[in-house]
Amino acid sequence: MMIKKLTNWGLLLAVLGLFSCSNSGKTGTPKGQVSIIPMPVSVKERQDSFLLDKHTVIFARNEEGKQIAVLFNSWLKELTGYELELTDKIPGDNGIIIETAKDTLQPEGYILGVSNKGIIISGSPAGAFYGMQSLIQLLPTEKGSSLIIPGVDIQDNPRFAYRGQHLDVCRHFFSVDFLKKFLDLMAMHKYNTFHWHLTDDQGWRIEIKKYPRLQEVASKRKETMAGHYEEPGKYDGKPYGGFYTQEQVKEIVKYAADRHITVIPEIEMPGHALAALAAYPNLGCTGGPYEVGTRWGVLDDVFCAGNDSVYTFLEGVLDEVLPLFPSKYIHIGGDECPKVRWQKCPKCQARMKQEGLKDEHALQSYFIQRMEKYLNGKGRQIIGWDEILEGGLAPNATVMSWRGIEGGIAAAKQHHDVIMTPGDFCYFDKYQSKGKNEPLAIGGYLPVSKVYGYEPVPKELTADEAKYIKGAQANLWTEYIGDSDYAEYMEYPRAAALAEVLWSQPAQRNYDNFVERLKVHVKRLDLKKVNYAKHVFEVSGTPEDNKKGGVEVKLDAKLDGGKIFYTTDSSAPTPQSQAYTAPVQVLKTGVVRAQVFQDGKPFGNEYNQPFLFHKALGKKVSITPDPEPNYNPGSSFALVNGIQGIGTYNDGQWFGFKKDFTATVDLDSVQEVKMLGTNVLSIKTNWIYAPKVLTFSASEDGKTFKEVYKQTAFSQNGINQVRTVITPVRARYIKMTAQHFGMIPAGAEGAGNPAWLFVDEMIVN
Ligand code: TNX
């Protein structure tokens, strides 16, 4: 048993008849009312149950336990209108016992036992708190139903010590009430760290008394960009602003601490600093004038690294921040800091000379290390985004790996702590459905299932290095998220999925089982009036190789009582359309449309997938080299599945490379080929460049290939469609080669890094 001190507990457990008898329940497969998210380490269902009523009492031996009791009562009150009495005596058979001890072996573990004799929760203060959260999840979800709690023996503790959620309150501001609800939901899902992104180009949101212009100037912007930042030009003309007073900050930090959540503030430096520069222009390299940011993206004006008053200013800010936040860690940003101003700034150049710094990356590293030293001197540790690796990592820094997993791997190999937040899995500002009715989001595609499938420990690490991966975090950047309803929509249920990634054991993760539990769990979110997204329950389609040289679409909907109907003639599906019974075969160019109906009414978005029918559909393709992680490594099917990638590169269709690539398709027999095609992407802001050269060649025997087409210019920003009618050739094999662009040129975003090459669908007719 995980608890070290067993004072009274063995006795109590025996009295309650818990953990003593084996039972017929199965471990890890909840049924009925036992649907806890995140899934505990061990759940044994018992035959009996506990009936909670107005006469049930709660006994807690110490203050921490009493606090847990109070929080349990507040949930109960919402559900039933009444609260339970707290008693000083160990209750008989109608009581809940909360036992907490500080010196447990599992700092966040707990035991929860429910039988017809009573309920016991035991663990560390945090553990018992999580035990209470699990108990809440055993309560019925309908108001007014009798409170029968299923008998269980649960033993539980988290897989990762750092389980975080981040909220950007700069691009849009969120009220204290909303933050409290946000924290309640975090606690419900056993998250323990709130990363509060408090300063950025478009707004400074924490009161700093020493620098009143942060409140007067930096907290306000004159207007906000309307629409997406890749189509700039439109602004809403409305002033926008807000900041939290130090009293409000204290209130939030206390509210979080009561829920065993640590708040880590982020004060961004040296980039994302425009709001502060607008207030104090002497802190920038050019001296301004500056305006608080009104558009999104990466802006050139950053803190001057050569000017000592910048460090004095930031130390002054931190001197007020530190007493508000007892956290061991302070996040100092470090991301997306363009070096163009520093390159031309006499002070920055002088600093580089004086410190013997070889380039501006080393200057950034100097900046971060100097601030780290200051914070270490105050007993704090820094966290920074993965750019802090460039130019040399500060000695004690923890790295947040956001641009992928590489930063995390590099930091762990240098024996630095890491928090994983790779954009492809942890950025909840991305779309979660490809449906046409989604509100504007930053781009990309991150459905709940993909979040659920995330594994925070990169396989590139040895067991020893893996210990530096402390956990992961969901990030909610709010450029396009203007209100709390939309924030909740983006956060849940994706945050429920990540909670399970972080808390539960990998062997217990099972998406279908998660969705079954989620059906119950969303009723709890309903009770809390959470505006969660419902995409998980709508119809989804999975194109698959039909093993007969073609493609079929498997349709599925996880909606209770849902019936799927579909069409292939581009008409809208209705309950009179074809009912779905078996995978839909793709036999022509056209669109497969499907909708799930509940009680005759359509639920959620429809599945609407155009397919291009061609000779290579579902055929065998070999690709070299293997695509980069996340962009179809290990499987070539998406290159010939009839679906063309859309404008966002991470929609699952695109094959991503950082080298030249070749794909060869085998059409099964020699045929006449008259037309060839593919799509390549060019989105320079995302480091994606079209190939230098694209060629097609044809062969009858797979050995001798003859070039039949060559293209060297791709003018389109976005998707470049290559479609070419050729002099007909007889061929069984078609080879496509793409020559990689090379390094990203100076002056462009990502300069000096290898460009990305993205290709999708190899079209043969
Ligand atoms: C990158 S993630 C940023 C943020 C943006 C976000 C949008 C990071 C460290 N920096 O400033 O809001 O992308 O997804």
Side-chain angles (χ1 to χ4, degrees):
M1 201 169 290
M2 64 182 153
I3 310 295
K4 230 184 8 189
K5 257 196 183 170
L6 278 175
T7 10
N8 292 334
W9 293 353
L11 180 69
L12 278 169
L13 296 173
V15 168
L16 296 172
L18 293 164
F19 298 103
S20 49
C21 55
S22 65
N23 55 67
S24 61
K26 280 185 274 166
T27 302
T29 44
K31 57 176 199 276
Q33 214 175 312
V34 183
S35 62
I36 297 170
I37 292 177
M39 174 68 104
V41 168
S42 159
V43 178
K44 295 197 176 124
E45 291 189 50
R46 302 167 55 94
Q47 300 297 323
D48 54 354
S49 56
F50 180 83
L51 181 66
L52 188 143
D53 60 22
K54 284 183 186 161
H55 307 293
T56 306
V57 291
I58 311 186
F59 169 76
R61 205 180 290 279
N62 54 27
E63 268 319 301
E64 284 99 2
K66 284 188 186 133
Q67 217 173 355
I68 294 170
V70 168
L71 289 167
F72 179 78
N73 262 338
S74 67
W75 182 282
L76 194 67
K77 191 159 186 193
E78 270 178 37
L79 190 67
T80 64
Y82 63 79
E83 295 186 352
L84 304 184
E85 186 198 322
L86 265 73
T87 157
D88 290 335
K89 288 199 301 281
I90 295 185
D93 61 359
N94 191 10
I96 301 175
I97 295 172
I98 303 172
E99 284 279 8
T100 62
K102 291 225 163 77
D103 54 348
T104 56
L105 291 180
Q106 295 283 0
E108 296 181 297
Y110 67 91
I111 290 171
L112 167 62
V114 178
S115 79
N116 55 8
K117 301 210 178 70
I119 296 177
I120 181 162
I121 299 172
S122 65
S124 63
F129 175 77
Y130 295 132
M132 186 271 283
Q133 294 294 347
S134 292
L135 175 62
I136 284 174
Q137 294 199 22
L138 294 173
L139 292 172
T141 51
E142 315 282 313
K143 284 193 179 184
S145 36
S146 62
L147 300 181
I148 300 171
I149 303 178
V152 285
D153 294 338
I154 294 178
Q155 295 195 31
D156 202 9
N157 60 274
R159 178 175 172 209
F160 289 103
Y162 185 106
R163 304 180 302 280
Q165 277 190 42
H166 147 289
L167 182 67
D168 165 11
V169 296
C170 304
R171 275 55 177 268
H172 284 99
F173 184 68
F174 294 87
S175 70
V176 168
D177 281 348
F178 173 73
L179 292 181
K180 288 183 176 172
K181 188 175 175 195
F182 190 88
L183 291 163
D184 282 340
L185 292 171
M186 282 181 64
M188 178 177 172
H189 295 86
K190 302 187 173 94
Y191 281 93
N192 64 2
T193 311
F194 172 43
H195 169 173
W196 200 359
H197 183 76
L198 283 163
T199 74
D200 213 307
D201 298 310
Q202 299 82 8
W204 182 285
R205 307 269 177 244
I206 176 168
E207 179 191 27
I208 302 295
K209 294 185 174 149
K210 188 172 179 189
Y211 300 113
R213 284 177 62 80
L214 290 175
Q215 285 72 259
E216 286 152 22
V217 177
S219 75
K220 299 169 197 159
R221 60 179 180 253
K222 73 166 193 253
E223 59 185 358
T224 303
M225 159 171 250
H228 202 278
Y229 89 116
E230 276 169 359
E231 298 141 24
K234 279 191 251 138
Y235 290 83
D236 67 3
K238 291 188 212 140
Y240 188 90
F243 67 89
Y244 304 98
T245 63
Q246 294 196 356
E247 284 311 304
Q248 288 173 319
V249 169
K250 282 185 208 155
E251 190 183 333
I252 289 297
V253 170
K254 160 93 174 64
Y255 192 88
D258 287 346
R259 285 152 186 78
H260 297 274
I261 294 170
T262 303
V263 186
I264 297 181
E266 180 182 353
I267 305 295
E268 268 262 19
M269 60 190 82
H272 286 287
L274 187 57
L277 299 190
Y280 296 100
N282 64 311
L283 304 178
C285 293
T286 65
Y290 304 105
E291 264 189 3
V292 177
T294 56
R295 70 177 181 88
W296 318 129
V298 179
L299 311 180
D300 286 342
D301 286 298
V302 302
F303 284 123
C304 174
N307 181 351
D308 277 330
S309 33
V310 166
Y311 301 96
T312 312
F313 167 81
L314 288 169
E315 287 167 13
V317 167
L318 290 169
D319 286 345
E320 290 192 33
V321 167
L322 298 187
L324 299 171
F325 295 91
S327 61
K328 174 175 161 200
Y329 294 101
I330 302 293
H331 201 304
I332 61 167
D335 63 308
E336 297 181 327
C337 179
K339 310 291 186 289
V340 284
R341 295 289 181 263
W342 292 358
Q343 279 158 2
K344 299 215 168 76
C345 169
K347 284 189 189 141
C348 289
Q349 293 303 316
R351 171 86 61 192
M352 283 165 60
K353 232 176 159 178
Q354 174 200 333
E355 298 289 335
L357 304 170
K358 77 170 193 306
D359 59 12
E360 285 74 17
H361 289 294
L363 183 57
Q364 152 128 355
S365 180
Y366 163 85
F367 195 117
I368 299 291
Q369 296 202 21
R370 184 162 164 174
M371 295 313 298
E372 175 181 61
K373 219 167 169 187
Y374 186 75
L375 284 164
N376 285 172
K378 306 265 168 190
R380 308 298 180 102
Q381 302 281 313
I382 64 160
I383 303 184
W385 300 107
D386 56 41
E387 285 93 333
I388 66 168
L389 280 153
E390 294 161 10
L393 198 49
N396 307 308
T398 296
V399 172
M400 250 182 200
S401 186
W402 72 277
R403 290 175 301 176
I405 61 172
E406 294 79 8
I409 295 171
K413 285 191 183 294
Q414 295 176 41
H415 293 186
H416 279 252
D417 284 347
V418 174
I419 293 144
M420 300 300 288
T421 64
D424 285 335
F425 295 93
C426 296
Y427 272 44
F428 292 179
D429 55 349
K430 291 180 194 275
Y431 287 103
Q432 46 196 325
S433 159
K434 293 180 189 166
K436 295 193 174 67
N437 302 322
E438 289 303 304
L440 184 67
I442 197 151
Y445 175 53
L446 178 55
V448 177
S449 55
K450 187 166 175 186
V451 175
Y452 194 82
Y454 177 53
E455 170 48 49
V457 178
K459 56 180 182 330
E460 288 82 351
L461 298 181
T462 64
D464 193 46
E465 290 160 352
K467 291 190 196 123
Y468 293 95
I469 307 291
K470 295 296 161 196
Q473 173 174 291
N475 292 342
L476 196 63
W477 299 100
T478 57
E479 287 95 331
Y480 304 98
I481 300 170
D483 62 49
S484 50
D485 273 356
Y486 190 16
E488 287 179 0
Y489 179 85
M490 297 305 256
E491 201 73 8
Y492 286 94
R494 289 189 286 196
L498 190 69
E500 195 145 306
V501 169
L502 289 168
W503 181 280
S504 307
Q505 294 303 310
Q508 277 178 319
R509 254 155 62 198
N510 174 312
Y511 183 66
D512 287 339
N513 180 280
F514 169 74
V515 174
E516 284 310 306
R517 280 176 287 130
L518 193 61
K519 287 177 187 169
V520 180
H521 193 72
V522 291
K523 295 184 191 152
R524 297 176 196 127
L525 298 178
D526 282 332
L527 279 173
K528 282 264 161 222
K529 301 202 172 41
V530 180
N531 183 42
Y532 59 88
K534 300 190 172 127
H535 307 99
V536 192
F537 306 114
E538 66 192 29
V539 67
S540 65
T542 316
E544 288 179 356
D545 182 350
N546 71 359
K547 306 277 188 280
K548 290 175 259 171
V551 169
E552 63 186 22
V553 185
K554 241 188 214 149
L555 299 173
D556 186 24
K558 314 256 183 219
L559 184 69
D560 280 338
K563 287 204 178 72
I564 301 171
F565 296 91
Y566 72 95
T567 67
T568 54
D569 62 0
S570 64
S571 66
T574 70
Q576 283 70 50
S577 309
Q578 184 78 36
Y580 177 74
T581 51
V584 184
Q585 302 300 313
V586 176
L587 302 171
K588 57 179 196 239
T589 291
V591 51
V592 175
R593 294 181 67 175
Q595 177 76 55
V596 62
F597 293 83
Q598 194 179 41
D599 303 325
K601 283 194 227 87
F603 178 95
N605 288 303
E606 73 170 55
Y607 174 75
N608 182 315
Q609 183 58 63
F611 283 90
L612 194 65
F613 190 80
H614 57 86
K615 284 185 171 151
L617 206 67
K619 298 294 186 297
K620 230 184 257 124
V621 200
S622 61
I623 296 179
T624 38
D626 205 25
E628 294 290 326
N630 300 329
Y631 302 108
N632 280 317
S635 154
S636 56
F637 176 64
L639 199 63
V640 288
N641 65 358
I643 301 176
Q644 303 182 67
I646 53 175
T648 53
Y649 55 92
N650 43 13
D651 68 345
Q653 296 302 317
W654 295 96
F655 288 71
F657 303 90
K658 292 183 187 170
K659 300 190 182 105
D660 298 347
F661 115 101
T662 302
T664 309
V665 63
D666 176 355
L667 302 173
D668 285 345
S669 60
V670 176
Q671 306 179 23
E672 189 180 51
V673 173
K674 296 187 236 163
M675 184 258 158
L676 293 165
T678 190
N679 301 323
V680 296
L681 266 190
S682 165
I683 313 176
K684 294 187 177 153
T685 47
N686 288 346
W687 309 15
I688 303 167
Y689 285 69
K692 276 194 177 147
V693 187
L694 181 86
T695 60
F696 283 101
S697 34
S699 165
E700 284 196 35
D701 59 6
K703 288 183 196 117
T704 339
F705 281 85
K706 186 173 151 253
E707 186 172 296
V708 290
Y709 181 72
K710 179 172 184 168
Q711 184 168 333
T712 52
F714 304 85
S715 55
Q716 196 64 32
N717 181 39
I719 301 175
N720 284 265
Q721 291 203 339
V722 177
R723 299 287 182 275
T724 178
V725 175
I726 55 166
T727 314
V729 283
R730 291 190 55 77
R732 174 171 166 178
Y733 301 92
I734 300 291
K735 184 189 283 186
M736 169 164 76
T737 62
Q739 193 190 330
H740 178 250
F741 180 84
M743 297 305 244
I744 300 175
E749 264 188 64
N753 291 289
W756 280 93
L757 167 65
F758 278 100
V759 183
D760 181 44
E761 202 66 11
M762 185 160 173
I763 306 161
V764 180
N765 259 322

